[in-house]
Amino acid sequence: MWQNLVVLVIFVILFCLRDMRKPLHFPPGPNWFPLVGSGFEVLRLVKHFKFYHLMWAELMRRYGPIVGLRLGRDRVVIVSGLDAIREVYSKDQFDGRPDGFFFRIRSFDKRLGVVFTDGANWEIQRRFSVKTLKSLGMGRTGMVNSLEREAEEMIHHLRKLSRTQKVISMHNAFDISVLNAIWTLIAGKRFELDDKKLEWVMETIHKSFRVIDMSGGVLNQIPPIRYVLPDKSGFAPLLNLLSPLWKFLQGTIKCIQSKLDQPDNPDCFIASYLRELNNNERHSSFTNEQLLCLCLDLFQAGSETTSNTLGYGIAHMLHHPEIVQKIHQELDSVVGRYRLPLLSDRPYLPYTEAVLCEIQRISNIAPLAIAHRTVAPVQLGTYVIPKNTITLVSIYSLHMDKTYWGDPEAFRPERFLSEMGDKLITHEYFIPFGSGKRRCLGESLAKSSLFLFFTAFMHAFIVEPAEEGKLPELDGIDGITLSPSPYYVKLKERLI
């Protein structure tokens, strides 16, 4: 008996020593402990800083631009600074996506869709998605016309609300208009802006982005915890949010499928995919589940970040009335007072464009972008990153780099303008849509949506806080993306 106990103790000690050992040439970071890795230190820092991206920033301040740690069984590397981030985006070995419980839960415990997948099937599905969306007008005249109509509908809707309601919820005021921009391509139709069901759908999308951070949290590191702590681990809340979204999309797909051969059936992404499913020569990666997950990817990613950016944008405008005045002057000079801005006006509105860039920079809607995974061992700087290491790129570190920007905490659109103030300039430290092979595929749609919805709103209204002197908070709500805190405003129509 004593011999067995001694053997067990020795085994446990050897396991702990092995479990705490870091790979050779792994980046510096917090100490690793058996089973939990650096989990306790991460939780302590999150509790202190409140936001995950600020916690990662603190670790980078301590250990340098490349930080290595372990969360549960997952090795994680956080990368900051221009040189290291460029290196990550330029090397194919970093182009994978994490493969864990959290990243599979939204796709029926499989690797489906285009956001959290990689490999040959991802290449095929992404190529089909990009080709199909372009054929439906994304990045072309058809999309522009649709967005301009959507902006006009949004202004009509907000005018009605402003005449009947003293205050308006502003943090989510753009939700359905933004969703319509992508939904028209996905399903070939749009929603009415007072559709209560769609308000619920968009709120569900927002909540699903707030349950867990981009690393996957404890749910990804210790999946069995969902049986012990289903709520605190994030499992039950996430599943409760995903289930209605799946049902909503399944109902839409079923409706389009029932009318697939009818002449009045709208041409859309879902219809194109269903036709590919009927093709006997299709690739094996084309399945009904794949279609559902692609729709979920486009549905969520195509609406969440753009809507949040606009919500943050108006909050910043309330803090800076002098900037609002400059926007109004530029819009009135270029567009006039008798129509809404068009996408063709964009080259002649450099100050307004600079304001949009500054909103994206300072808001940092996706401070860590989407997690990468190393598909093979790779050198990063002087370190060696093992295969299957989760890699998080801190876009926040670029957007808030004090050495480069000088005053990153200040809202100053002029940093995106030439000395004469008549041209928009680019910055290598500004990459809100990521970079490299995994750059956001909906970038053109997002940029056009941001411009048209923001300029239409600013051209049509004067916005004031719901309570005099009470400005909206700018910290926001943490999650996979940052969301603006709820706030309310008074809208006044600008006189013609």
Side-chain angles (χ1 to χ4, degrees), residues 214-231:
M214 182 49 74
S215 71
V218 69
L219 182 61
N220 195 60
Q221 296 134 29
I222 313 173
I225 200 172
R226 68 188 187 276
Y227 299 118
V228 182
L229 299 169
D231 290 315

Side-chain angles (χ1 to χ4, degrees), residues 10 28 158 183 200 207 233 244 250 303 312 318 347 365 383 398 408 469:
I10 292 173
L158 290 175
W183 193 245
W200 165 82
K207 287 179 179 177
S233 68
Q250 284 171 334
S303 57
Y312 265 119
L318 286 166
I365 299 298
Y383 307 111
L398 297 184

Side-chain angles (χ1 to χ4, degrees), residues 424-473:
L424 197 71
I425 60 174
T426 59
H427 290 279
E428 56 187 357
Y429 277 68
F430 179 64
I431 53 168
F433 298 98
S435 186
K437 193 176 180 180
R438 303 295 308 231
R439 191 180 181 105
C440 175
L441 65 83
E443 181 176 349
S444 65
L445 175 62
K447 285 182 174 180
S448 298
S449 298
L450 284 173
F451 175 81
L452 285 170
F453 293 142
F454 181 76
T455 56
F457 179 86
M458 297 303 295
H459 200 40
F461 298 107
I462 295 171
V463 59
E464 297 176 350
E467 297 180 37
E468 188 175 350
K470 187 176 181 181
L471 297 172
E473 296 179 6

Side-chain angles (χ1 to χ4, degrees), residues 70-82:
R70 207 186 75 201
L71 297 177
R73 307 306 303 164
D74 294 329
R75 289 185 302 269
V76 180
V77 169
I78 306 99
V79 182
S80 66
L82 184 64

Side-chain angles (χ1 to χ4, degrees), residues 80-97:
S80 66
L82 184 64
D83 293 339
I85 288 175
R86 272 181 172 171
E87 195 172 348
V88 167
Y89 280 135
S90 67
K91 291 186 174 180
D92 292 343
Q93 293 94 327
F94 287 103
D95 283 340
R97 290 294 195 216

